Amino acid sequence: MPRDLHTITTQPVAFVGAGPGDPDLLTVKALRALQAADVVIHDRLVSADILTLVGPQTRLRDAGKEGFGPSITQGDINQMIVGEALTGARVVRLKSGDPTVFGRLDEELDAVIEAGLDYTIVPGLTSASAAVAALGQSLTKRGRNTAVRLITGHDMQGYADHDWRALAREGEVAAIYMAKKAARFIQGRLLMHGATPSTPVTIVEKASRPDQRIVAATLATLPAILAEADMTGPALLMYGLAPRETAQMALPQVQEMI
Ligand code: SAH
């Protein structure tokens, strides 16, 4: 057995990144873990296409909701993971994108460690990587930005605060997660701190999925364009980046090549 596979299949709990949605963007390691799992506890955002790749013996449990009940708490999810692992089941805790990015990984890790269980983390492709690829752009670019921020529109207190002054500088780039509701707040803070109203902001909904949408806006037009787009799926605001004109061609071309 290859060493990596051995590691995955012998740890009781594997925290696995499912990537942004396209099953072809799963890592080989993630796929192996899904196929070896007795139970996969997945988030609501993990795409249905990926859930079809589990092994024939694998049970699926939705950590976003159980039955038609209300969404379950973090404590319930921790208990679900630990409870399954203590029965001897090989558990995959499947999170969208990369489990280490806005994934509440540490809370679940703490519960697993406290229960005396071993674990492994299988990184995944975060949705910002898929979104920027869809734009035909780079997250960093020589002469433009030497740093990129992954930030959230929301935290436990509500709209999240950031170093707006730093972000408002010319050429800055940020991938803003969970930002749809916070868009007007973000716009206000950035303009207040001196950002140029014409700074591009591109909304990428369902990055890497067949129904991916790319909507170009600027800081000035963002709230209006977002309202008009009426998005229901997961979306990222790519601050400081406009779609490259030729980028729309990228996905079909790649598909034809394969
Ligand atoms: N761990 C995930 C992020 C989870 S937080 C990752 O690494 O991607 C949930 C947020 O991620 C969503 O509100 C949305 O902003 C973003 N997101 C997740 N999947 C996405 C996708 N396919 N397209 C666009 N945004 C996505």
Side-chain angles (χ1 to χ4, degrees), residues 87-225:
T87 68
R90 279 168 302 183
V91 179
V92 163
R93 173 67 176 111
L94 189 63
K95 291 171 175 288
S96 73
D98 184 282
T100 73
V101 178
F102 302 126
R104 300 194 200 159
L105 175 63
D106 299 75
E107 294 159 55
E108 296 177 14
L109 275 178
D110 287 346
V112 164
I113 293 165
E114 199 171 306
L117 294 160
D118 286 334
Y119 65 89
T120 183
I121 300 171
V122 180
L125 194 78
T126 192
S127 46
S129 298
V132 77
L135 303 186
Q137 295 288 7
S138 293
L139 285 174
T140 60
K141 184 179 174 187
R142 284 207 286 177
R144 184 191 63 202
N145 63 314
T146 53
V148 60
R149 291 176 178 79
L150 305 182
I151 69 179
T152 177
H154 270 273
D155 61 17
M156 280 153 78
Q157 274 74 49
Y159 295 150
D161 228 342
H162 297 286
D163 185 351
W164 303 111
R165 188 170 303 282
L167 206 52
R169 285 194 302 249
E170 195 68 31
E172 294 295 320
V173 171
I176 315 181
Y177 293 66
M178 295 171 275
K180 274 187 294 184
K181 290 205 184 88
R184 189 174 286 280
F185 171 80
I186 293 166
Q187 178 207 42
R189 284 291 184 275
L190 284 166
L191 291 176
M192 190 195 294
H193 287 86
T196 312
S198 61
T199 306
V201 184
T202 308
I203 309 139
V204 183
E205 185 195 29
K206 301 182 188 168
S208 86
R209 301 186 186 199
D211 47 354
Q212 164 182 289
R213 275 168 81 196
I214 297 173
V215 180
T218 63
L219 202 49
T221 62
L222 178 65
I225 287 192

Side-chain angles (χ1 to χ4, degrees), residues 16-20 22-31 34 50 53 94:
V16 176
D22 177 354
D24 286 352
L25 294 178
L26 270 179
T27 63
V28 174
K29 203 164 188 171
L31 181 60
L34 288 178
I50 285 174
L53 299 174
L94 189 63

Side-chain angles (χ1 to χ4, degrees), residues 39 41 59 61 79-89 91:
V39 58
I41 301 174
R59 276 180 297 122
R61 292 190 70 179
Q79 265 177 20
M80 198 191 282
I81 298 167
V82 168
E84 289 279 6
L86 289 177
T87 68
V91 179

